[in-house]
Amino acid sequence: MRSGDDAPRTPAAQEAQAKDLCLRLLTDRARSRAELAKKLADKGFDEDVAVRVLDRLTAVGLIDDASFAAQWVHSRHTFSGKGKRALAMELRTKGVAPEVAAQALGQIDGDDERARATDLVRRKLRTTSLDFPVDGPGGRSSERERTVRRLVSMLARRGYPQGMAFDVVKSELARAGADTEDRPDG
């Protein structure tokens, strides 16, 4: 640990403190091994102490990156409406191995992703006016295209593929009675 700390310097005491820190962090929410390793490094624990503690916590099942990734994907897809691309980026930043992330992302198929995107667009359309003006600068086409771009952008920010996003928006606007025959440029 850092030299300015008043904490005991023995390896056993450092391991106990590192374990306590990890257990406190795991009380808040599940975390990946890499997240815990970073926190321990940030707090000044030696790498060998951190490895021993993380290995022990992994051995008893308190750290499980596969379980963490599956839980993360389910939660963020279901409750935050994130698409697979956004979830993959989040797992990468959490330090989850690509093969573990791919397995967790496999629980979301194309139909699930499309259904969630449809739900997000429907929710947004509840608060969006679809009464596009016929006359005036830009006219009906301009307002409709602006609405399509906004909805497609909302889905893209959440990690949905652009093609799927446009198809979902077009279908939902048609379902809501808006004319979307022309695809906006750009």
Side-chain angles (χ1 to χ4, degrees):
M1 293 188 58
R2 293 184 185 126
S3 59
D5 291 341
D6 293 333
R9 304 268 184 253
T10 67
Q14 286 185 18
E15 284 184 32
Q17 290 175 339
K19 182 183 95 174
D20 288 345
L21 174 61
C22 288
L23 292 175
R24 278 195 311 273
L25 291 169
L26 289 168
T27 300
D28 293 336
R29 68 168 174 83
R31 295 177 193 267
S32 69
R33 182 180 175 112
E35 284 181 291
L36 292 171
K38 182 176 180 339
K39 280 290 192 185
L40 291 173
D42 290 348
K43 293 290 185 179
F45 288 97
D46 295 333
E47 185 177 350
D48 60 325
V49 170
V51 168
R52 284 193 302 272
V53 168
L54 294 174
D55 285 347
R56 195 172 323 126
L57 293 175
T58 301
V60 297
L62 291 175
I63 301 173
D64 181 353
D65 279 0
S67 176
F68 165 77
Q71 186 180 29
W72 186 266
V73 166
H74 173 74
S75 174
R76 300 287 286 167
H77 179 71
T78 303
F79 302 113
S80 297
K82 298 288 183 166
K84 285 175 92 168
R85 189 176 65 226
L87 292 168
M89 288 177 23
E90 288 179 359
L91 290 174
R92 194 174 317 120
T93 63
K94 300 276 180 210
V96 174
E99 61 276 1
V100 173
Q103 185 177 0
L105 291 167
Q107 67 186 340
I108 301 172
D109 63 18
D111 292 338
D112 293 335
E113 198 168 28
R114 184 176 204 85
R116 190 65 179 110
T118 299
D119 181 55
L120 291 168
V121 170
R122 285 180 183 168
R123 287 180 183 203
K124 193 68 169 177
L125 285 175
R126 286 185 210 142
T127 60
T128 302
S129 170
L130 297 179
D131 186 25
F132 302 128
V134 177
D135 296 321
R140 181 179 177 102
S141 177
S142 177
E143 276 300 312
R144 182 190 71 245
E145 288 176 6
R146 187 175 299 122
T147 299
V148 169
R149 277 195 306 272
R150 285 180 181 159
L151 292 170
V152 169
S153 294
M154 182 247 329
L155 290 176
R157 284 189 302 275
R158 291 175 183 251
Y160 292 90
Q162 185 176 359
M164 175 196 290
F166 180 75
D167 289 343
V168 166
V169 168
K170 184 176 177 179
S171 296
E172 289 307 306
L173 284 175
R175 182 180 161 274
D179 176 25
T180 61
E181 287 306 310
D182 299 322
R183 184 178 178 147
D185 295 332

